[in-house]
Amino acid sequence: MSCILSEDRALLDRFRRGERDALGRVFSHYAPHVASLLKSGFGFSAGGQRVRFGGYKRTFELEDALQEVFKRAFSERARMSYDGLRPYAAYVAVIARNLVIDQYASRKRELSHFSFDESAAPENDTAPETGRPERELLAGELRAILADFRAKLDQREQTIFTLRFEENLSHAAITERTGLTASQVKTTEAKLRVALMKHLHKHGYLDERASHVTPAAEAAPSGDNG
Amino acid sequence: MMNHKNALRDAQELVAKGLPTRRHRRLREHLRGCDDCMRHYERLRAVEDALTPASVISDVALERIGALVLDEVSPPATRRGYWAWVGGLGTVSAMALMLVLVSPRTPDDELTPRGVTATGNGHGLAAFVVDPTRGDVARATVGADRRVIVPAGKVVQLAYRNAAYRYVMVVGVDASHEVQWYHPAEQERASGGVALVAGAIDEPLPGAWSIDRDMTPQRLFAVFADAPIDAEAVTRAVERLRASGQSVRNAERLPGLAYAQDSLLLDIAEPTGH
């Protein structure tokens, strides 16, 4: 990963001054790397023990942690402490690790009020819930619903769905690849998004109470009629 | 003040087309304490991430988190005046300004379209009502009691006009005389108030509030001063109002308070057109 701060001294100066656009640029460049670290986890030593952090599995927790890491990294003290020579990715990774270690220490303190009751017999022998099967079930359900949605699209919609959402191409690249106008691509994508939300509600994936807030573009695409 | 319905709506709007940072922040606060809404949010985000399979987290989600970070560590520069403020709402593309109410201490101001009558003289509290989902224009009703009628589901942003005062505090009191601190936040009451810009016209105050159906009417009292305001004095004035038994509908001032004041009655109407 290139280090935009050590390669661009003007950017480094603006970053140190806390200028918003410079901070934004640094965030955009390094946030995916930090998100990956926070999601995949890592090991660390604490209190003489080796601890494995398995990564944040819930999206909300991941987002919260990411936000906190960059709040710390962008504090005046942290900005001024960065020497502009070391790779900033490593610098911010240390901040991310410290955040996780802080959380670990804090939760350990909270749990210090509890201990295992040796005298109580376990009620049953079932394995503890890890939450993982539920997540995998949910992911499987989502994959099936998306596949069903995709199968019901017409040819143009399928093409745009694939290029935009599966291959992550830009509008310009899709225009070039398909020969459609930029307007056609954008309109089709907007319709696809609306249709997808309806489809997800219809199949019970999303809370029905929120179904009335489907985005405003109400033109029904061909994909979600059945 | 966010309820489950608004949280579900905002979660969906966040993923579908984005939310203003302040509403995003409020949504996150709600989600932290609400398992049901959190489940809905996680499902929405799973969809978003599933549609960008190459990433740990989607680009738009990163952008949203980045906005939260930047808003906290490097707030945008303060803007001046109405049109600059509207420009500041550029990121709030889904929002449309609906109406303006300026409630000054001068008798000649009535409900008017924004920018027409504001003269910059004196001081006063203003309320902007923003429709978070539609672009249509509604008009507020204001009576002799300085009542602002806001449909549930809308968002209220407060603003002020100020000639020369330096600080303001805004506190809401409902019919039961329950108190809600608007400016500054309750935990920052010792700050002496929000620092004012001299000569400002319709300068927005930080924060915005979703108006829920279950909200009750409130009288919003704005207290202006040249020096940091004693929040305890404001609290005691609210106590005096409570003790007097006077209805907040009629109480245009907090009694016994040696500061300049202005007030608005924020009344909640049933949502229309949905």
Side-chain angles (χ1 to χ4, degrees), chain A residues 156-187:
Chain A
R156 178 200 283 186
E157 290 166 344
Q158 276 201 12
T159 302
I160 290 180
F161 187 90
T162 303
L163 297 177
R164 184 71 176 146
F165 298 132
E166 294 176 2
E167 297 184 21
N168 284 318
L169 294 187
S170 66
H171 289 143
I174 296 173
T175 300
E176 196 173 310
R177 182 87 72 90
T178 60
L180 296 168
T181 65
S183 171
Q184 284 173 318
V185 172
K186 286 179 186 173
T187 304

Side-chain angles (χ1 to χ4, degrees), chain A residues 20 58 63-64 165 205, chain B residues 38 41 43 45 51 74:
Chain A
R20 191 179 167 92
R58 288 174 73 172
E63 292 172 346
D64 259 5
F165 298 132
Y205 178 84
Chain B
M38 174 72 89
Y41 176 80
R43 284 174 170 247
R45 286 286 290 103
L51 296 178
S74 178

Side-chain angles (χ1 to χ4, degrees), chain A residues 60 63, chain B residues 28 31 37-45:
Chain A
F60 186 84
E63 292 172 346
Chain B
R28 295 187 80 80
L31 293 176
C37 294
M38 174 72 89
R39 198 170 300 120
H40 182 74
Y41 176 80
E42 289 282 332
R43 284 174 170 247
L44 278 167
R45 286 286 290 103

